[in-house]
Amino acid sequence: MSILVTGTAGFIGSHVAHALLARGETVVGFDNHNDYYDVRLKEARLARLQALPGYVHVQADLADRAAVEQVFAHHRPRRVVHLAAQAGVRYASQNPHAYMQSNMVGFLHVLEGCRHHGVEHLVFASTSSVYGANTQVPFSEHASTEHPLTLYAATKKANEMMAHGYAHLYGLPCTGLRFFTVYGPWGRPDMAPILFARAISEGKPIKVFNHGRHSRSFTFIDDIVEGVVRTLDRPAASNPDWRGEAPDPATSSAPYRIYNIGHEQPVQLLHFIELLERNLGRKAQMELLPLQPGDVPDTEADVADLIADTGYRPRVAVEEGVAAFVDWFRGYYGA
């Protein structure tokens, strides 16, 4: 039986599929190849996957209920890693309906497929953005996330609640992973690392919000993949100590778990830019701007639970990660 990975033309999904194939799994990839960003990059990621034995690809949209049902019925995956979504925090203000179709309707179809076909574990992508107006760092899964600041974050928070409902009603083990600022080779061109690297290479100015003073738990893609795979191998279980009079947001009496997944050492944006400059051999022209609406000043991941439960620990320092990213960027874009 196979493992279904949604979003395999995407950044994280393609890397997770590679890791699962490398250990001998059969992977069914699912992606709609949308044009939110350069489709050629998505096709290049897929070409690498399709060259490997054990990979089967399905091009369809998660919002297409019949297509999702057919994938579950035909391939009968024993586990599911759901990484597909309409990405981009700020794009939601321009096209909110795309987020509802992909992140809400699409996720419902995945949950229904898992429910009706006996899937033993669903691991799904959430985001550090759900912490929203919460300014208590490091961010803990056991803290409240009731105040998201963007529609994107709200859809991901809703996904967590939907998964809990299915875990409670149908006994479906569900684990949500809140990703923190993922970067690395084959990354998304709408995110800061590629936007900055391209502009620096071309001698163009980069927009640096909050005057570069905010910090992020920049997490290299290899560390993310390790955490996803380790979590997939450990189906969520109920917490016997969970009590309704003092509910813990990260666990449940149902087979449900939420984890942060990110680097424990936050990095100031200006330092990240300095590392790009050093590896590209060029200085950045920076246009310093105020904090954007919906952005938070700082993120910092508390990953103690993931370490304790799975043995996961992020290992790639930002200096090493940026160097690897720039090597790929130069090779792929000819910069």
Side-chain angles (χ1 to χ4, degrees):
M1 297 177 72
S2 57
I3 296 175
L4 173 63
V5 181
T6 69
T8 47
F11 175 30
I12 300 175
S14 64
H15 281 275
V16 169
H18 266 279
L20 292 172
L21 290 166
R23 71 177 197 177
E25 304 283 3
T26 297
V27 174
V28 178
F30 189 103
D31 202 290
N32 69 356
H33 303 213
N34 71 28
D35 61 357
Y36 168 67
Y37 60 77
D38 187 0
V39 175
R40 292 172 297 179
L41 176 58
K42 297 183 178 184
E43 298 294 345
R45 293 178 185 135
L46 280 175
R48 297 172 67 240
L49 283 174
Q50 290 172 321
L52 300 174
Y55 182 76
V56 178
H57 190 70
V58 177
Q59 182 176 348
D61 197 302
L62 285 172
D64 183 342
R65 178 178 174 182
V68 178
E69 288 178 347
Q70 183 177 14
V71 166
F72 275 93
H74 181 70
H75 294 283
R76 303 192 66 83
R78 73 180 191 277
R79 296 177 183 175
V80 176
V81 185
H82 176 57
L83 301 170
Q86 176 55 58
V89 174
R90 298 179 189 95
Y91 183 62
S93 63
Q94 305 168 34
N95 195 353
H97 299 284
Y99 286 77
M100 299 307 292
Q101 283 297 307
S102 180
N103 299 9
M104 299 293 290
V105 175
F107 189 55
L108 173 63
H109 294 163
V110 170
L111 286 169
E112 280 289 282
C114 292
R115 168 195 173 191
H116 290 293
H117 293 279
V119 167
E120 66 184 33
H121 192 198
L122 167 64
V123 174
F124 66 96
S126 187
T127 172
S128 62
S129 295
V130 300
Y131 290 104
N134 181 357
T135 58
Q136 185 176 356
V137 293
F139 291 146
S140 168
E141 308 96 319
H142 305 282
S144 170
T145 53
E146 300 304 316
H147 300 89
L149 299 178
T150 64
L151 177 63
Y152 169 73
T155 63
K156 289 299 188 176
K157 172 67 175 176
N159 286 171
E160 294 179 1
M161 298 298 91
M162 293 165 70
H164 182 266
Y166 272 68
H168 173 75
L169 290 172
Y170 309 115
L172 170 64
C174 293
T175 301
L177 297 175
R178 293 175 178 167
F179 295 132
F180 281 71
T181 316
V182 189
Y183 74 100
W186 299 98
R188 279 173 30 207
D190 63 318
M191 295 185 69
I194 290 183
L195 291 174
F196 288 175
R198 180 176 287 142
I200 294 170
S201 299
E202 297 173 355
K204 297 178 180 178
I206 60 175
K207 293 182 178 181
V208 182
F209 294 98
N210 200 33
H211 302 274
R213 290 193 295 265
H214 56 268
S215 60
R216 294 287 182 267
S217 287
F218 286 101
T219 311
F220 192 65
I221 184 62
D222 290 1
D223 284 335
I224 290 290
V225 170
E226 181 187 348
V228 172
V229 173
R230 283 176 178 264
T231 304
L232 182 65
D233 290 341
R234 187 181 185 277
S238 63
N239 175 6
D241 298 322
W242 195 91
R243 296 292 180 268
E245 61 268 21
D248 172 18
T251 66
S252 176
S253 57
Y256 172 84
R257 194 62 165 91
I258 294 292
Y259 291 111
N260 289 333
I261 179 168
H263 206 287
E264 299 167 284
Q265 299 297 323
V267 175
Q268 193 171 65
L269 181 59
L270 287 177
H271 181 55
F272 192 88
I273 293 170
E274 288 172 3
L275 293 173
L276 287 173
E277 292 175 323
R278 185 185 308 169
N279 284 276
L280 290 165
R282 299 193 67 167
K283 294 293 291 182
Q285 302 175 38
M286 290 185 280
E287 181 183 355
L288 300 177
L289 299 167
L291 193 69
Q292 292 190 103
D295 277 1
V296 296
D298 302 294
T299 67
E300 182 179 345
D302 179 349
V303 293
D305 284 2
L306 192 59
I307 291 170
D309 290 349
T310 71
Y312 164 84
R313 185 175 292 277
R315 303 181 188 280
V316 181
V318 68
E319 292 79 9
E320 179 186 350
V322 171
F325 162 73
V326 170
D327 282 347
W328 169 82
F329 173 80
R330 282 178 158 159
Y332 183 78
Y333 287 104

